[in-house]
Amino acid sequence: MRILLDVMGGDLPSRALVKGGVAVGRRRGIDVVFAGDPHEIEAALADSGEKPGAKFDVLPSSQTIHMENSPVKAVREKKDSSIVLGLNALKAGDVDAFVSPGNTGAVVAGSIFILDRIPEIPRPGILASLPTLTGEDILVIDVGANSDCTPEQLVHFGLMGASYAHSVLGIDEPTTGLLNIGAERGKGNRLIADTFAQLESGPLPFAGNVEAHHLLIDRPSDIVVCDGFVGNVFLKAVEGGISAVTSLLKRTIRGRAIAMIGALLMSGSFARVKGSLSYRTRGGAPLLGVNGVVVIAHGRSDAVAIGSAVEVACREVEVGLIDRLSQGMSGWREHGR
Amino acid sequence: MRILLDVMGGDLPSRALVKGGVAVGRRRGIDVVFAGDPHEIEAALADSGEKPGAKFDVLPSSQTIHMENSPVKAVREKKDSSIVLGLNALKAGDVDAFVSPGNTGAVVAGSIFILDRIPEIPRPGILASLPTLTGEDILVIDVGANSDCTPEQLVHFGLMGASYAHSVLGIDEPTTGLLNIGAERGKGNRLIADTFAQLESGPLPFAGNVEAHHLLIDRPSDIVVCDGFVGNVFLKAVEGGISAVTSLLKRTIRGRAIAMIGALLMSGSFARVKGSLSYRTRGGAPLLGVNGVVVIAHGRSDAVAIGSAVEVACREVEVGLIDRLSQGMSGWREHGR
């Protein structure tokens, strides 16, 4: 297996990302192609005692798409960027998957332009896997690819999420919930009302409306469907809530001797909680619905996080997710949808 | 001052809410009228050593609007409910404000039907006051009154939020941010793009786009504007993130002796953090834009939380918020909007 890793455009220097790529390449026994500044990549490979070759290869790029660049414009104009070159390599079959911590909008736009969509899927969606108190993750789709959605698009997010849950996670009959602001039928906006009706009469086991404060606590369904604007706000609000508690706790403890001793004794517990809720072990969010395995890593990814993102891509390749998604879509269409 | 407190329809029995009303009535030197089942209210008053009279009065109701009732239908059909009777009392001028922990949709619908809107305001919005790490609260509007919004409505949420921040909180030139999924201009959906353009050319100091994970940490603006669907998801996601961390921490500590000792030594710190982030001390969310002081308390309100909601109503009455909002709107209209 050969995975392309874009090492440009993340918040961290490309050296850290190369280090993560080398580690996961060795651990997993896979080949990794690094797309980016060739001098930096070669220097980072040397630091890890490696040279460019079949196992760790370099796809040199001379341009970088930055976080603040307009996605569509950047993809059209920066033909020699790591994102465009990397997606072209995936399209050509030179690699099996593409992983990037760069500009999410550019990865989405580039994937649609270069790889195209899987037939029958109106829009691709980004799937986030979130830890819950039940010990099992909950899948939320879309968390940022589409800011304006139709009910049909939301239903297809559900279908793709279910395919992923079944194929990659081995969940037998995954249930889908609709992110809403109340549990009762009739709550929410027009988009939600129309989507509710379609999901209810659709082929997926439907868990009904689910509310944001329950997702991480009770895990009311395997998959949660929402438009990309709401999903992105949800994700960042959870992150904000968690940061607020932990920062406040640290600040309250500081300077109070007894509390500081307490914190010291508890530090193992803090580390466990931090580990359980960390994006670093989740690493990557698959972009589902484009014709190739694309995984979006957090912009703040370090070596560990980028390694988990590559792992996510490996699992998708192993189970043949793209074929399964295509077959799933034709299957659902034949069953009257 | 005379505040009407609806003691039906919350999650807690009305006795607990009467207790909270009596406490705030004594503390604040205000009169409280309790709307609900007269036997329960009288029994609860007796428990507190009070009798119905001028200071603590009873508005007897025979019907209750429950959480699962359809708001508009319930308000139309349950004419003898505490919500409808209470809002009628406010409309008639028998009381200065209305506070309820009941069905939010019914309070919103009832307020619009019975009190009507303030002229020039297209839709009322619910304003939530959230604690931040900076020590000052951030105001978010709308958090649930309107699930489908126009840019004009969002701009008016900003105007009302600014009026509130200035009049009630004494903030000189309050800034308004637009809740979005990126800091850069051009991010987000169509509603956000149109609202951005209107806010930018409008009379309020505009802080631009603000992101969900920054609100509680950096407090990027005094007021944050969003549609009620997104605002409600935001609020519940923050709540979920906070609950997840605290539950996970408790669970991780349990059974590990050293960590338990640590937690014991830290318990003061935990209590402080819990206090800082608690809705109990915030208590009430004003419904702004209707022609009367209406405060929505959390459905799970206990005696302390309902007391804070009544305090919120008192402050609005003291500063004459309704007149200020009306004047503000005509002022802004005259300035060319």
Side-chain angles (χ1 to χ4, degrees), chain A residues 133 211 236 251 256 269, chain B residues 133 211 236 251 256 269:
Chain A
L133 293 186
E211 290 186 89
K236 288 176 176 163
R251 191 185 293 181
R256 298 179 58 231
S269 301
Chain B
L133 293 187
E211 290 187 89
K236 288 177 177 163
R251 193 184 294 181
R256 298 181 58 230
S269 301

Side-chain angles (χ1 to χ4, degrees), chain B residues 18 20 41 58 79 97 99 106 113 134 144 152 180 194-195 201 227 233 236 239 253 267 288 291 294 300-301 316:
Chain B
V18 172
I41 295 168
V58 184
K79 297 288 183 206
V99 177
F113 291 158
T134 68
E152 288 70 29
N180 202 345
D194 294 347
T195 307
S201 62
D227 77 54
V233 167
K236 288 177 177 163
E239 190 190 331
I253 291 162
S267 57
L288 299 183
N291 207 356
V294 173
R300 293 202 298 272
S301 291
E316 284 187 51

Side-chain angles (χ1 to χ4, degrees), chain B residues 31-278:
Chain B
D31 302 342
V32 180
V33 182
F34 299 96
D37 180 322
H39 306 294
E40 288 198 31
I41 295 168
E42 280 168 31
L45 281 175
D47 284 352
S48 300
E50 297 283 351
K51 270 189 232 174
K55 181 154 184 72
F56 296 116
D57 212 346
V58 184
L59 177 61
S61 73
S62 64
Q63 293 176 308
T64 302
I65 296 180
H66 300 283
M67 288 297 177
E68 63 278 12
N69 287 157
S70 155
V72 174
K73 197 162 170 268
V75 167
R76 286 221 175 100
E77 291 175 1
K78 294 188 172 175
K79 297 288 183 206
D80 207 58
S81 61
S82 51
I83 290 178
V84 173
L85 292 176
L87 287 168
N88 278 323
L90 176 58
K91 165 85 174 176
D94 299 340
V95 293
D96 301 299
F98 171 86
V99 177
S100 171
N103 183 318
T104 299
V107 173
V108 173
S111 298
I112 296 172
F113 291 158
I114 295 167
L115 305 173
D116 208 345
R117 290 171 290 117
I118 291 175
E120 311 292 333
I121 295 181
R123 288 285 300 172
I126 300 173
L127 180 128
S129 186
L130 299 177
T132 73
L133 293 187
T134 68
E136 281 177 276
D137 282 15
I138 192 164
L139 304 175
V140 183
I141 178 170
D142 172 31
V143 296
N146 310 276
S147 286
D148 286 290
C149 287
T150 63
E152 288 70 29
Q153 287 165 6
L154 264 65
V155 169
H156 278 86
F157 294 157
L159 295 172
M160 292 194 290
S163 237
Y164 185 92
H166 183 75
S167 311
V168 179
L169 307 179
I171 299 175
D172 238 2
E173 289 216 326
T175 57
T176 299
L178 180 61
L179 185 58
N180 202 345
I181 60 173
E184 306 83 12
R185 166 194 292 265
K187 286 268 180 182
N189 55 24
R190 280 187 293 267
L191 171 66
I192 293 300
D194 294 347
T195 307
F196 189 99
Q198 291 199 22
L199 282 172
E200 200 181 24
S201 62
L204 293 175
F206 181 41
N209 292 325
V210 295
E211 290 187 89
H213 53 309
H214 291 152
L215 301 199
L216 305 191
I217 314 289
D218 315 321
R219 194 179 178 276
S221 57
D222 296 305
I223 301 137
V224 175
V225 162
C226 53
D227 77 54
F229 188 90
V230 168
N232 198 273
V233 167
F234 166 76
L235 214 61
K236 288 177 177 163
V238 167
E239 190 190 331
I242 293 174
S243 305
V245 180
T246 48
S247 306
L248 204 52
L249 212 46
K250 271 187 212 155
R251 193 184 294 181
T252 312
I253 291 162
R254 208 174 298 145
R256 298 181 58 230
I258 289 179
M260 281 174 82
I261 296 168
L264 206 65
L265 294 175
M266 275 183 62
S267 57
S269 301
F270 277 120
R272 281 184 194 202
V273 169
K274 218 176 145 190
S276 314
L277 295 175
S278 171

Side-chain angles (χ1 to χ4, degrees), chain A residues 183-237:
Chain A
E184 306 84 12
R185 167 194 290 267
K187 286 270 180 180
N189 56 24
R190 280 186 294 265
L191 171 65
I192 293 300
D194 293 346
T195 308
F196 189 100
Q198 291 198 22
L199 283 172
E200 199 181 25
S201 62
L204 293 174
F206 181 41
N209 292 324
V210 295
E211 290 186 89
H213 53 308
H214 290 151
L215 300 200
L216 304 191
I217 315 288
D218 314 321
R219 195 180 178 277
S221 56
D222 296 305
I223 300 136
V224 175
V225 161
C226 53
D227 76 55
F229 187 91
V230 169
N232 197 274
V233 167
F234 166 77
L235 215 60
K236 288 176 176 163

Side-chain angles (χ1 to χ4, degrees), chain A residues 47-66:
Chain A
D47 284 351
S48 300
E50 298 282 351
K51 270 189 233 173
K55 183 155 182 73
F56 296 116
D57 212 347
V58 184
L59 177 61
S61 72
S62 65
Q63 293 176 305
T64 302
I65 296 180
H66 299 282

Side-chain angles (χ1 to χ4, degrees), chain A:
Chain A
M1 196 186 304
R2 205 169 163 80
I3 308 282
L4 190 132
L5 179 57
D6 165 27
V7 297
M8 310 300 285
D11 293 348
L12 263 81
S14 48
R15 288 200 174 205
L17 303 181
V18 173
K19 198 177 152 196
V22 168
V24 70
R26 288 175 182 159
R27 188 169 69 236
R28 268 279 190 166
I30 56 167
D31 302 342
V32 181
V33 182
F34 299 97
D37 181 320
H39 307 293
E40 288 198 32
I41 296 169
E42 281 168 32
L45 281 176
D47 284 351
S48 300
E50 298 282 351
K51 270 189 233 173
K55 183 155 182 73
F56 296 116
D57 212 347
V58 184
L59 177 61
S61 72
S62 65
Q63 293 176 305
T64 302
I65 296 180
H66 299 282
M67 289 298 177
E68 62 279 12
N69 288 156
S70 155
V72 174
K73 197 160 170 270
V75 167
R76 287 221 175 98
E77 292 175 1
K78 295 189 172 175
K79 296 289 182 205
D80 207 58
S81 61
S82 52
I83 290 178
V84 172
L85 292 176
L87 288 168
N88 278 323
L90 177 58
K91 166 84 174 175
D94 299 339
V95 293
D96 301 300
F98 171 87
V99 178
S100 172
N103 183 317
T104 299
V107 173
V108 173
S111 298
I112 296 173
F113 291 160
I114 295 167
L115 305 173
D116 208 345
R117 290 171 291 117
I118 292 175
E120 311 292 333
I121 294 180
R123 289 285 299 172
I126 300 172
L127 180 127
S129 187
L130 299 177
T132 73
L133 293 186
T134 68
E136 282 177 275
D137 281 15
I138 192 165
L139 304 175
V140 183
I141 177 170
D142 173 32
V143 296
N146 311 275
S147 286
D148 285 291
C149 287
T150 63
E152 288 69 29
Q153 288 165 7
L154 264 66
V155 170
H156 278 85
F157 294 157
L159 295 172
M160 292 194 290
S163 238
Y164 185 93
H166 184 75
S167 311
V168 179
L169 307 179
I171 299 175
D172 238 2
E173 290 215 325
T175 57
T176 299
L178 179 63
L179 185 58
N180 202 345
I181 60 173
E184 306 84 12
R185 167 194 290 267
K187 286 270 180 180
N189 56 24
R190 280 186 294 265
L191 171 65
I192 293 300
D194 293 346
T195 308
F196 189 100
Q198 291 198 22
L199 283 172
E200 199 181 25
S201 62
L204 293 174
F206 181 41
N209 292 324
V210 295
E211 290 186 89
H213 53 308
H214 290 151
L215 300 200
L216 304 191
I217 315 288
D218 314 321
R219 195 180 178 277
S221 56
D222 296 305
I223 300 136
V224 175
V225 161
C226 53
D227 76 55
F229 187 91
V230 169
N232 197 274
V233 167
F234 166 77
L235 215 60
K236 288 176 176 163
V238 167
E239 190 190 331
I242 292 174
S243 305
V245 180
T246 49
S247 307
L248 204 53
L249 212 45
K250 272 186 212 153
R251 191 185 293 181
T252 312
I253 291 162
R254 207 175 297 147
R256 298 179 58 231
I258 290 180
M260 280 174 83
I261 297 169
L264 206 64
L265 295 176
M266 273 183 64
S267 58
S269 301
F270 277 121
R272 281 184 193 202
V273 169
K274 217 177 146 191
S276 315
L277 294 177
S278 171
Y279 76 91
R280 293 171 84 227
T281 54
R282 298 309 185 280
L287 175 67
L288 299 182
V290 292
N291 207 357
V293 171
V294 173
V295 172
I296 295 167
H298 204 295
R300 291 202 300 271
S301 290
D302 57 11
V304 174
I306 208 78
S308 336
V310 171
E311 297 265 12
V312 169
C314 291
R315 284 195 293 275
E316 283 187 52
V317 174
E318 276 161 7
V319 303
L321 187 70
I322 303 298
D323 285 345
R324 285 182 181 236
L325 278 175
S326 311
Q327 286 158 15
M329 291 305 130
S330 2
W332 278 308
R333 193 181 63 245
E334 279 156 25
H335 282 81
R337 293 193 60 79

